[in-house]
C-alpha cells in the first residue's frame, strides 16, 4: 500500500548513492537508515509499521515531494569497511495532510553494502 521508496539492491561502501521517495505535492519525506537491517519484530507507530530497529536508526534531512516523479535522496558514502557484506535497512516516513494519521511509513528496503 505504501510503496513509496525505491532503493538499489546493492551499493559500494565508499560511494554516495540515491534512493527515491514518492509523495503528494508539498509533503515531506524523511529517510530512516539502520545498518542492522530489519528488526526481528517491527514496531507499531501512529504512521504504520516501522520495520527497522529503533536502536541505531538515524534520519536524513527531509525532502519535499512533488506528487509527480520520485524525489532523490542522496545517502552519503558509508566509510566503515566493517559494513562490507552487510545489508542496511531503509524506510521512508512521508508526512502529509492528505494521510489520515498525518503521515505513513513506506515499505522497508534492504541495500547490500559491497
Amino acid at each position: 500500500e505504501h510503496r513509496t521508496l525505491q532503493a538499489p539492491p546493492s551499493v559500494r561502501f565508499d560511494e554516495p548513492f540515491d534512493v527515491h521517495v514518492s509523495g503528494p505535492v508539498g509533503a515531506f519525506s524523511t529517510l530512516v537508515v539502520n545498518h542492522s537491517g530489519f528488526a526481528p519484530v517491527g514496531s507499531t507507530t501512529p504512521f504504520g509499521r516501522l520495520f527497522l530497529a529503533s536502536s541505531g536508526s538515524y534520519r536524513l534531512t527531509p525532502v519535499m515531494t512533488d506528487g509527480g516523479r520520485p524525489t532523490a535522496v542522496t545517502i552519503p558514502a558509508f566509510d566503515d569497511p566493517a559494513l562490507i557484506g552487510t545489508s542496511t535497512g531503509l524506510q521512508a516516513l512521508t508526512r502529509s495532510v492528505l494521510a489520515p494519521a498525518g503521515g505513513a511509513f513506506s515499505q522497508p528496503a534492504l541495500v547490500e553494502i559491497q
Side-chain angles (χ1 to χ4, degrees), residues 14-50:
D14 58 350
E15 295 178 0
F17 64 98
D18 286 347
V19 298
H20 294 85
V21 294
S22 300
V25 174
F28 285 92
S29 190
T30 305
L31 191 67
V32 182
V33 181
N34 189 301
H35 293 304
S36 298
F38 296 155
V41 177
S43 57
T44 301
T45 76
F47 309 112
R49 304 272 300 180
L50 176 61

Side-chain angles (χ1 to χ4, degrees), residues 13-111:
F13 88 99
D14 58 350
E15 295 178 0
F17 64 98
D18 286 347
V19 298
H20 294 85
V21 294
S22 300
V25 174
F28 285 92
S29 190
T30 305
L31 191 67
V32 182
V33 181
N34 189 301
H35 293 304
S36 298
F38 296 155
V41 177
S43 57
T44 301
T45 76
F47 309 112
R49 304 272 300 180
L50 176 61
F51 291 98
L52 307 179
S54 57
S55 175
S57 289
Y58 62 94
R59 295 174 184 234
L60 298 180
T61 303
V63 296
M64 184 178 284
T65 58
D66 66 10
R69 68 184 125 129
T71 303
V73 178
T74 300
I75 298 179
F78 302 132
D79 58 3
D80 182 357
L83 293 174
I84 296 173
T86 66
S87 292
T88 292
L90 307 172
Q91 206 166 352
L93 172 59
T94 301
R95 304 292 307 263
S96 169
V97 295
L98 300 178
F105 275 111
S106 72
Q107 85 284 7
L110 276 179
V111 176

